[in-house]
Amino acid sequence: MLKKDGNRSAEDSLQPSTVSTSTTSVDSLGDKLNAINLSATASSLPSKGATATTTTPSAVAPIDDFDMNDMDDPLAGFEAQRSGIKDISLKEQFLNPTDANIESLQTLLAARIREGSGETLFEIGVEEDGAPMKLSDAEYATALSTVKAAAAAVGAEVAIMHEKNAGLSTGAPVALEAKDKDKDTADVSLEPPIAPSVDVTDQPTYKSSYIMIRKTPKSVDELLELRVAVVGNVDAGKSTLLGVLTKGVLDDGRGKARVNLFRHKHEIDSGRTSSVGMEILGFDAKSVPVPTMSHGRNAPWDEICGKAAKVLSFIDLAGHERYLKTTVFGMTGCAPDFVMLMIGSNAGIVGMTKEHLGLSLALGVPVLVVITKIDMCPPNVLENTIKQLTKILKSAGCRKIPMFVKSPEDVVVTAGNFVSDRICPIFQVSNVTGEGLDLLKNFLNVLPISQKYNRDEPVEYQITDTFSVPFVGTVVSGVVMNGIVHAGDQLYLGPDGNGAFQMVTVKSIQRKRLNVPLACAGQSASFGLKKIRRSTIRKGMVMLDKETTPPPRGCREFEAEILVLYHSTTIGHKYQAMLHCGAVRQTARVLAMDKPDQILRTGDRATVRFQFLQPAYLKVGARLIFREGRTKGIGKVSKIVA
């Protein structure tokens, strides 16, 4: 089903299971997840197993231990567009645009847009009970015109994402599908194929389409935003792909597209990212990418956001193991909605690829995979890379369904199911020839907005970076996790070295380098603060609502339910590791655990009491990762002690 609720369920349990055998050494987080069978890492993953049904090979790779019927019907996801109409069919409303019918459609679209946080996918051609409308070309044109008129009345634009014809015959497509299948696949010819003497051109055809309805923002503070973390092994082409997507210029094969993304001279010299970079890609209300070049130069962010209705913020993270600390902080502190895992087709799944995939699974963030450099990779090497990737995704540690996106219809269906945590879309692209980039752009365009943020809750703002700007003063950047912040609001800032909070005033707010009057939950923003020194603020601090009761205090000790992924020896009393929880990144020490022998080994699950070296702000239920070099374990906060 094309989900409109983008909530990702929290991790309900971290139950270890039996250790599976592996021919490779346990040297990365991906290996550790496979080794201890984290089938319960995401509670949204189903436990039911059955035989997979047969689907088109270009869209879905077969997977064991899953019932593909469990995956929601992509067409049924549009049930909400029909839920409010009982007396008159949708077809009647489309083809008979009376004032009453137009008003009913306006109410329906307004509800769908509000539910989708400013946009919604809609299908023309399906009746309220799921039956096809069987629209002729003329009827389809009338229906599309009616929907456009209703959308315009609620301040939205319509873009056709995919049109399709149906109704040739039930036998023709089945016969073609069976012909393209491998010999060892199940027989899918449920209907007899068309005899050669039948002229399929005489069969009636019906038209339908998927459309994107997106509201035109009245101001920048209404801009839709998605954050996508870009990870993968070194030399996988992360910065190059972002340069191609955001600058609109193909690469020359020598790193031309990535130069403008680097922030330091040594990054330009080595070609390797060492810091957290940010780039944006905008789409207007008609789903057209906003031009990134203006008068022969790169368009500034404020110009792009001024024309866009939806913006994707790419978080360019480091791939080298040396910068793993920075990468983990970007994954936890920047609160990405999705993760884009890059894999070089010529190199395969090597280095930090499994580690980054495991981080995404541990944090419960949906993952999409992009295989790059297909223009220079021999076919047999590309095939081996795809087989290796599919095997890992279907393993007990991941339990995901690989979906190879090769057509516009695959884009729409996959994007709608992506928030289910079971789906892993796979794209194959070339930054030099441009192959596959259009499908990737369309997929990013139709990605649903996350629904996990609550604007009605008290304000909570996580600080991920600090600046000192001339003539402005101290500036902090981060993500608004809950509530709404207005310019001029007074908020608690802390904790400091003693665990205390102080009151500060937000004198100005910027989003994507544009001044805005407010920032809402789920948006990344920068705040200019009054009368406070930058030296008193550090990464990992938070800003909370001034009405918070009781007044907030930082914590030094807390308890967490953890699962040890891998450790060469044992973990005991006074063990120290680097702990990441949201924007918090600091060393923590083990004080006690609920084990009789007070020792943890690989695969053990326990409730552990940690102690920070400096006070930090934590919330019960927050996910955490602790590492010593590479990741050692994952868990969630269960109790704040002191």
Side-chain angles (χ1 to χ4, degrees), residues 7-127:
N7 288 338
R8 294 189 292 275
S9 59
E11 177 180 352
D12 292 329
S13 64
L14 293 169
Q15 182 66 39
S17 181
T18 57
V19 178
S20 60
T21 59
S22 176
T23 57
T24 59
S25 61
V26 182
D27 61 351
S28 69
L29 180 52
D31 289 328
K32 300 160 198 168
L33 287 171
N34 292 336
I36 59 178
N37 192 0
L38 283 180
S39 58
T41 296
S43 62
S44 59
L45 298 183
S47 58
K48 180 180 178 182
T51 305
T53 58
T54 308
T55 51
T56 307
S58 64
V60 183
I63 180 170
D64 299 329
D65 301 325
F66 278 111
D67 187 347
M68 292 295 287
N69 291 323
D70 287 345
M71 187 182 73
D72 300 329
D73 179 12
L75 300 183
F78 298 98
E79 288 174 356
Q81 75 186 42
R82 304 183 292 267
S83 59
I85 303 172
K86 302 297 183 183
D87 299 329
I88 306 176
S89 67
L90 277 180
K91 183 176 181 179
E92 176 66 21
Q93 295 190 53
F94 287 161
L95 302 183
N96 186 22
T98 62
D99 292 342
N101 288 345
I102 290 291
E103 184 178 355
S104 177
L105 282 177
Q106 290 175 11
T107 304
L108 177 64
L109 294 183
R112 284 290 305 273
I113 292 173
R114 185 169 55 253
E115 186 178 359
S117 299
E119 65 180 16
T120 181
L121 272 170
F122 201 90
E123 186 182 27
I124 298 177
V126 175
E127 198 48 84

Side-chain angles (χ1 to χ4, degrees), residues 85-218:
I85 303 172
K86 302 297 183 183
D87 299 329
I88 306 176
S89 67
L90 277 180
K91 183 176 181 179
E92 176 66 21
Q93 295 190 53
F94 287 161
L95 302 183
N96 186 22
T98 62
D99 292 342
N101 288 345
I102 290 291
E103 184 178 355
S104 177
L105 282 177
Q106 290 175 11
T107 304
L108 177 64
L109 294 183
R112 284 290 305 273
I113 292 173
R114 185 169 55 253
E115 186 178 359
S117 299
E119 65 180 16
T120 181
L121 272 170
F122 201 90
E123 186 182 27
I124 298 177
V126 175
E127 198 48 84
E128 56 183 319
D129 58 356
M133 292 183 183
K134 297 183 178 181
L135 299 174
S136 65
D137 287 352
E139 291 174 333
Y140 169 77
T142 302
L144 181 61
S145 176
T146 303
V147 173
K148 286 184 176 180
V154 296
E157 297 282 355
V158 173
I160 299 175
M161 304 310 302
H162 175 63
E163 287 185 342
K164 58 182 179 179
N165 293 318
L168 283 173
S169 173
T170 58
V174 174
L176 291 174
E177 182 178 340
K179 181 178 178 180
D180 292 338
K181 292 278 185 184
D182 296 332
K183 293 182 180 180
D184 58 348
T185 56
D187 183 13
V188 295
S189 299
L190 302 180
E191 299 289 340
I194 299 176
S197 59
V198 176
D199 184 7
V200 296
T201 59
D202 294 336
Q203 302 295 323
T205 61
Y206 309 111
K207 204 164 186 179
S208 63
S209 67
Y210 298 97
I211 61 175
M212 170 62 73
I213 303 176
R214 181 172 295 153
K215 190 173 182 179
T216 303
K218 298 179 181 178

Side-chain angles (χ1 to χ4, degrees), residues 4 23 60 70 74 103 139 173 183 208 220-222 253 289 299 318 359-360 375 392 398 416 430 432 435 586 627:
K4 294 159 293 295
T23 57
V60 183
D70 287 345
E103 184 178 355
E139 291 174 333
K183 293 182 180 180
S208 63
V220 180
D221 53 282
E222 295 182 1
L359 282 172
S360 306
D375 57 296
I392 290 176
C398 296
S430 169
V432 175
E435 180 180 354
Q586 63 168 295
R627 61 178 186 83

Side-chain angles (χ1 to χ4, degrees), residues 393-608:
L393 292 177
K394 294 192 295 183
S395 66
C398 296
R399 295 183 66 83
K400 287 187 176 290
I401 302 175
M403 297 189 70
F404 292 85
V405 180
K406 296 185 177 180
S407 70
E409 185 173 10
D410 294 344
V411 168
V412 178
V413 174
T414 307
N417 285 281
F418 190 31
V419 294
S420 70
D421 281 345
R422 295 186 60 193
I423 304 301
C424 181
I426 301 175
F427 296 84
Q428 302 177 43
V429 304
S430 169
N431 295 321
V432 175
T433 64
E435 180 180 354
L437 291 177
D438 288 341
L439 293 177
L440 180 58
K441 275 190 176 182
N442 289 339
F443 181 82
L444 296 172
N445 173 45
V446 299
L447 273 179
I449 303 296
S450 175
Q451 303 290 323
K452 67 179 181 180
Y453 302 101
N454 192 343
R455 298 186 178 188
D456 298 327
E457 293 287 329
V459 171
E460 180 186 346
Y461 176 78
Q462 292 185 351
I463 297 175
T464 58
D465 211 345
T466 63
F467 309 92
S468 183
V469 181
F471 308 108
V472 175
T474 301
V475 175
V476 295
S477 67
V479 179
V480 183
M481 306 303 294
N482 291 313
I484 301 177
V485 181
H486 297 80
D489 283 356
Q490 287 188 325
L491 302 174
Y492 280 119
L493 171 66
D496 57 18
N498 297 320
F501 283 71
Q502 60 177 313
M503 195 71 70
V504 296
T505 301
V506 179
K507 63 179 180 180
S508 62
I509 302 176
Q510 279 197 347
R511 285 191 65 203
K512 309 305 177 191
R513 303 174 187 172
L514 278 174
N515 289 318
V516 294
L518 57 89
C520 303
Q523 298 177 351
S524 56
S526 299
F527 297 162
L529 305 181
K530 278 185 180 179
K531 298 179 181 179
I532 186 169
R533 291 182 176 273
R534 181 190 176 189
S535 58
T536 62
I537 305 176
R538 54 185 167 84
K539 296 179 182 179
M541 282 186 169
V542 296
M543 299 178 69
L544 303 176
D545 197 297
K546 67 176 181 179
E547 303 296 334
T548 302
T549 53
R553 291 285 301 178
C555 76
R556 282 186 180 272
E557 295 183 14
F558 66 95
E559 292 183 358
E561 298 174 1
I562 68 165
L563 177 63
V564 181
L565 297 177
Y566 174 74
H567 193 63
S568 56
T569 57
T570 59
I571 295 176
H573 183 58
K574 294 186 178 180
Y575 170 81
Q576 291 189 2
M578 181 65 70
L579 190 141
H580 297 261
C581 183
V584 176
R585 178 182 65 181
Q586 63 168 295
T587 302
R589 180 175 60 179
V590 174
L591 294 181
M593 62 188 70
D594 62 353
K595 287 283 188 179
D597 55 358
Q598 296 291 300
I599 290 177
L600 293 176
R601 296 180 175 87
T602 298
D604 285 352
R605 180 175 181 267
T607 299
V608 178

Side-chain angles (χ1 to χ4, degrees), residues 261-324:
L261 273 65
F262 290 143
R263 303 173 62 186
H264 306 289
K265 185 178 184 300
H266 71 266
E267 293 180 336
I268 299 175
D269 295 338
S270 65
R272 294 178 176 176
T273 303
S274 64
S275 59
V276 179
M278 296 289 292
E279 291 294 328
I280 63 171
L281 174 64
F283 294 92
D284 62 17
K286 296 182 178 180
S287 295
V288 177
V290 176
T292 55
M293 299 296 292
S294 176
H295 305 292
R297 59 176 178 84
N298 292 330
W301 281 21
D302 53 356
E303 185 176 326
I304 294 176
C305 295
K307 300 177 181 178
K310 179 179 183 178
V311 168
L312 283 94
S313 300
F314 294 104
I315 308 166
D316 188 15
L317 300 176
H320 200 282
E321 184 177 1
R322 181 189 309 168
Y323 310 117
L324 178 61

